[in-house]
Amino acid sequence: MAKIRSEVLSPFRSVRMFFYLAFMASAGLGSLIALTQLLPALGNPARAAGVPETLKGLGIDVAAVAVFAFLYSRDRKASDAQVARLTREENLSRLKLRVGDGGRVVPLSELRGSARLVIVAGPAEFVAESFRRSRPFLRDLMERGVLVLPFPTDGNAPALEFGEDGDGEAEAEDGEVARKSRRLWQLTPVYTSEWAKWLAEQKKMANVTPDSPVYLSLRMDGRVRGSGVGYPPWQAFVAQLPQVKGMWSGLFDGMDGRV
């Protein structure tokens, strides 16, 4: 699946690599022919006049082999890196999560096209503080289709205070905040050992210490758009992500950041 997605994302890379190999083979054959002409000429003074021209052709062929070998190697490395990244994303898409309290368990891939997932992974206190920092941006984040998956790595339950207590107008306002908070933070990871394994692999590849708290932000199409150590930049998400409703609905799906 990762290779298929890689071909879709870079449809001309395989064509380029085929021509690079063809040009390398052609230049290599030309170099071999030039060598067969050069060696006898060096030992025969009568044919010495053609040596400079033969050397010129040999130099061109060798340079061509080197250039196309470099281009092929660059595309090969880019292809391998892209397939590796897409493989990690495919593995992430298979991880399971629960929607809401007592809700159904679904693979992360089912959120593609409907939500922009933000994974907050770290100690329970880090998750709770990330929750508190998201509260001023609840409405804006929801309008942009953001859903948060808290993953406390220390095994403790984070204290997510939804603020449902109050009276009168304050109670109504707190109730609205609580509903938005619950909707934004409604996801729960299932089979946490698999989540922990996937997260540990990503930290190792990114040279991040295993105990560092991190966040990952996914695009609407399920690809990783950004990640970092520390708290999620909620305000930056609001500024960068387009809304999922209104006149721009569907127009910028997947166009929410470079991978």
Side-chain angles (χ1 to χ4, degrees):
M1 181 62 70
K3 290 182 178 180
I4 291 174
R5 291 181 61 192
S6 178
E7 290 293 335
V8 172
L9 293 171
S10 303
F12 300 111
R13 178 179 289 150
S14 297
V15 177
R16 290 199 307 268
M17 294 176 68
F18 170 79
F19 280 109
Y20 292 157
L21 288 175
F23 294 151
M24 287 170 58
S26 177
L29 181 60
S31 300
L32 182 62
I33 294 174
L35 282 174
T36 60
Q37 296 175 346
L38 180 62
L39 294 178
L42 291 176
N44 187 352
R47 303 174 58 182
V51 169
E53 190 66 25
T54 303
L55 285 173
K56 180 180 178 181
L58 178 61
I60 293 174
D61 289 334
V62 171
V65 170
V67 169
F68 289 120
F70 167 76
L71 294 175
Y72 179 86
S73 175
R74 185 182 63 176
D75 264 1
R76 169 56 63 187
K77 290 180 180 178
S79 177
D80 292 343
Q82 186 178 57
V83 170
R85 184 176 66 249
L86 292 174
T87 300
R88 296 194 300 271
E89 292 177 355
E90 284 297 320
N91 291 337
L92 174 62
S93 71
R94 296 189 182 97
L95 297 179
K96 300 292 178 32
L97 50 86
R98 188 184 305 279
V99 181
D101 295 334
R104 63 193 182 103
V105 175
V106 299
L108 187 147
S109 59
E110 286 203 10
L111 298 180
R112 286 177 179 171
S114 61
R116 297 182 173 103
L117 186 66
V118 176
I119 302 171
V120 180
E125 180 53 38
F126 167 78
V127 174
E129 179 61 25
S130 298
F131 168 78
R132 288 190 288 270
R133 295 187 180 206
S134 72
R135 289 172 69 88
F137 309 102
L138 291 177
R139 181 186 298 275
D140 293 325
L141 290 171
M142 290 179 60
E143 290 177 349
R144 285 153 179 80
V146 174
L147 290 179
V148 183
L149 186 143
F151 179 42
T153 55
D154 56 1
N156 298 322
L160 304 183
E161 301 175 358
F162 294 108
E164 297 175 299
D165 298 331
D167 53 60
E169 184 177 343
E171 182 179 4
E173 183 177 348
D174 289 343
E176 180 68 16
V177 172
R179 284 191 295 273
K180 291 180 179 178
S181 299
R182 288 187 182 278
R183 182 177 176 185
L184 187 69
W185 291 73
Q186 64 178 299
L187 304 178
T188 307
V190 180
Y191 306 125
T192 54
S193 60
E194 297 181 4
W195 282 91
K197 179 181 178 181
W198 185 89
L199 188 63
E201 292 175 352
Q202 309 318 302
K203 288 183 176 180
K204 183 178 179 180
M205 295 188 64
N207 295 321
V208 175
T209 56
D211 57 346
S212 296
V214 297
Y215 73 89
L216 290 93
S217 171
L218 306 188
R219 305 196 317 177
M220 187 73 76
D221 59 6
R223 301 188 66 192
V224 177
R225 70 176 295 273
S227 61
V229 177
Y231 298 108
W234 304 115
Q235 188 172 4
F237 292 162
V238 171
Q240 296 169 1
L241 299 176
Q243 297 184 11
V244 296
K245 293 182 179 180
M247 65 179 297
W248 304 114
S249 177
L251 182 60
F252 295 116
D253 286 356
M255 304 297 291
D256 44 6
R258 296 180 59 187
V259 175

